[in-house]
Amino acid sequence: MKYFAHTKDGKTFVNENECQKLVEHLNNTAFYAMKRAEFFEASEAAYVIGLLHDIGKYSDGFQAKIKGKVNISVPHAMAGAFILNNNYDLLSKYYGIAIASHHTGLSDYGTLVDKDNNTYCGKLNNHKPLNLIYENEVLLPAKISHKRLKLSIGYEAFQFSMYLRMLFSVLVDSDFTDTEEFCTDTKRNTNYTCIEELYNNLMDNMPQNTGGKVNTVRAEILNDCLAKAENPQGLFSLCVPTGGGKTLSSLAFALKHAQKHGLRRVIYVIPYTSIIEQNAEVFREKVGAENVLEHHSGFEIDSEDFKARWASENWDIPIIVTTNVQFFESLFAAKTTKSRKIHNITKSVVIFDEAQMLPGDYLSPCMAIISELITNYGVTAVLCSATQPLVHKYMYKNIKQTEIISNHTDLASKLKRVNFNFAGKKSDDEIILEIANQHSVLLIVNSRKHAFSLYEKTKSFISQNGLFYLSTLLTPADRTAKINEIKRRLATGEPVVVISTQLLEAGVDVDFPVVYRSLAGIDSIIQAGGRANREGKLADLGKVIIFEPTESPIPRSLQLYASCGKEVIECLNQDAFELAGITKYFELLNHALERDGIRDMKGILNEFEINRCGEIVKMNFATAAKNFNLIDNNTHNIVIPCNKNLGLIKKLRNEGSSRKLLRKLQKYSINIYDNEFIQLQTDNALEKIDGINLLIIPKYYSPESGLNIFTKDNKNAECAFI
């Protein structure tokens, strides 16, 4: 009898030539898994789970289904896990969760006595063995050699969970790859420019030192990065004041370090998509667009570009630019699509840009992930920031941190381009009068509502041509257009007044002589200061004026940060923004946010526990994935119609939503909170089409001021865009 894995179209049985033989699929998957797992020394385990993952298809019931003789569900994933559990040692038995989950996603492990089908052990206990005839086609090894984990006291259970995740990742990726190659008759072509050539291309395209104070310091930073790239792998920090050119210098470090140690890729992790777009474009210019993947929710992958689509699925590309959300949520994910890529993080340099913005409420699990990647998966990590946070205490105790810059104190002095001044309490009218008298000025406040209010009040004082408002209530497309126009006006010396939320304070290359910043954390104020006199071209120092607003309370989520910032400012004055003040600020903040010495709001690390005998007590993958959410779940996505997306909206109405269509609409979408969503619903301003919320009252949105949910004159407006 011939046994088949799947049909070409995944549904209809036409003839045997349109089916992949099961033994071929198992062998291919096992081979791919073995090769992928070589990079973290787990080839034998990966090979066996590859052979076993679909072995349940050696059943009469499944073969009848694939040939269209029966139309019922025939589960097959548990069979391989059952064989592992009954034929191998204790450690091998745990690998069964990867096999059992390769379609549905990682479940909680459960306990040996479980009967609950929501856990792996429950499914295993409820499994009814099938009569499988596979011995003539599949040869299983008698035993499995295991990866030797370097254990860190207190994290053993978490480390083992990471090992199981990696095996799950290589299995899912290998299974998807072989299936797609068969169904499309297309072999994945993943040949890219080698790391050595990428490094040479970058260095050939580096900006030349044309003299001047700032350019000379940037050259010194680059030299420090190139020198430290020769160091052994591990944890590095790159503490460079804003405007020091750390983006290209850190990439130079990463590529040279990767070349030195035989690493495969560079992953650049960034907090905001607005920074990602800018950095990804710089990287593409320097090393070639075909070698760079920009991967975040707002970026549209060309479906005809197979290599780009493949890279977005499993990160098999030399340079990846992604978000904190994408990176960390993938590493804690249970879903197959998110987990698929994580094995390709191994043997990489991972750069965390704006490291002070690593997820604060999940700082301990995030640091544990970084520690584990360094300890057991061949990763070098770099924490980049102008205000290096005190994160080392949340990492494995045996990991030492190396600062790349040889003399950070001198560097800060050389790159000093602004003075900070705390102006005390200010009303909105006082602030508006001050900025209205400036030729070019940036005002950053803590909430969308406050920014919108100030913008509306300022309209009567400043020409609309030179006044700009920025917040996340503007679509990414409109924000990008505004930022480009702001940069153009700054370059040509035209008047420009910008009122913005925090989205403009980190990583966006704008250069104002004066920046006003509403009271916030010291790190945020310094980042905002990086938008003042950025290129050091002013005859005098730039000005950063910090004020405490009297009419707009600081949002609850930021009150602690602002309180700690104010305490340090009142204590140290100008020194609050030097190394001593930064250190004091993070000490105060960590002390306030810690619980029992850790920062883990949802108790993620507590979901993993093993006993002294190496037996699993808790391994709750699904629970951890559910609780690890870096984006507030109490938000709603709204699509904003405009001339550029009316064709997409028509397609949505006619054909319904799809993943591809949602990606295309992302750049025309915004996220709003529950109370804002309810307001729009109450005013009949939304239409829901196949689960997608579409704004249908044009008065609520304009490209200049974004979504207006703060004034009360929008009710009963006429519907449009229907």
Side-chain angles (χ1 to χ4, degrees), residues 72-84:
I72 57 172
S73 175
V74 183
H76 64 274
M78 285 305 304
F82 188 81
I83 291 171
L84 257 184

Side-chain angles (χ1 to χ4, degrees), residues 480-708:
T480 299
K482 279 175 173 283
I483 289 172
N484 289 338
E485 175 62 11
I486 290 165
K487 289 180 178 180
R488 188 197 67 77
R489 294 180 75 92
L490 287 169
T492 57
E494 298 173 60
V496 55
V497 175
V498 179
I499 300 173
S500 176
T501 58
Q502 304 99 300
L503 70 86
L504 201 62
E505 75 183 10
V508 182
D509 290 340
V510 290
D511 190 353
F512 289 85
V514 181
V515 171
Y516 281 75
R517 181 60 169 96
S518 180
L519 183 64
I522 294 295
D523 54 338
S524 292
I525 295 170
I526 291 175
Q527 288 295 330
R531 308 318 114 195
N533 196 23
R534 187 173 181 84
E535 298 299 323
K537 294 179 180 178
L538 297 179
D540 297 318
L541 294 175
K543 296 179 182 178
V544 181
I545 299 164
I546 307 115
F547 65 97
E548 189 172 0
T550 59
E551 296 168 51
S552 180
I554 295 170
R556 185 180 303 173
S557 61
L558 299 177
Q559 285 175 1
L560 175 61
Y561 301 87
S563 175
C564 291
K566 185 177 181 181
E567 183 176 341
V568 174
I569 291 170
E570 290 177 341
C571 179
L572 298 177
N573 299 314
Q574 273 286 326
D575 288 342
F577 307 99
E578 305 297 334
L579 185 59
I582 295 167
T583 302
K584 179 68 174 175
Y585 167 75
F586 281 115
E587 285 176 349
L588 289 172
L589 188 63
N590 287 340
H591 180 73
L593 291 172
E594 281 181 357
R595 292 182 182 177
D596 300 323
I598 66 171
R599 290 175 63 176
D600 187 1
M601 180 178 70
K602 296 286 185 70
I604 303 297
L605 293 176
N606 292 332
E607 298 297 341
F608 307 99
E609 184 180 346
I610 57 177
N611 63 24
R612 292 183 179 180
C613 299
E615 297 170 331
I616 289 177
V617 177
K618 270 199 299 186
M619 203 63 68
N620 293 338
F621 294 104
T623 301
K626 180 181 177 181
N627 291 335
F628 192 92
N629 291 301
L630 301 189
I631 295 179
D632 190 346
N633 282 332
N634 297 320
T635 60
H636 304 267
N637 189 261
I638 308 292
V639 174
I640 309 297
C642 66
N643 289 334
K644 293 181 179 180
N645 68 13
L646 292 181
L648 297 175
I649 292 172
K650 182 179 180 181
K651 189 171 184 179
L652 174 66
R653 292 185 184 282
N654 293 337
E655 301 176 16
S657 65
S658 66
R659 188 175 178 184
K660 180 180 176 181
L661 185 59
L662 291 178
R663 278 196 170 276
K664 289 184 175 182
L665 286 170
Q666 195 68 41
K667 65 173 68 173
Y668 307 107
S669 304
I670 59 174
N671 286 313
I672 59 175
Y673 294 107
D674 276 340
N675 61 316
E676 299 163 344
F677 184 71
I678 291 169
Q679 178 186 331
L680 292 178
Q681 282 186 317
T682 302
D683 292 348
N684 296 314
L686 299 175
E687 178 187 3
K688 183 162 275 192
I689 307 172
D690 198 17
I692 307 303
N693 296 301
L694 179 70
L695 185 74
I696 56 173
I697 297 184
K699 189 176 180 180
Y700 266 103
Y701 187 89
S702 77
E704 289 73 38
S705 56
L707 187 71
N708 179 2

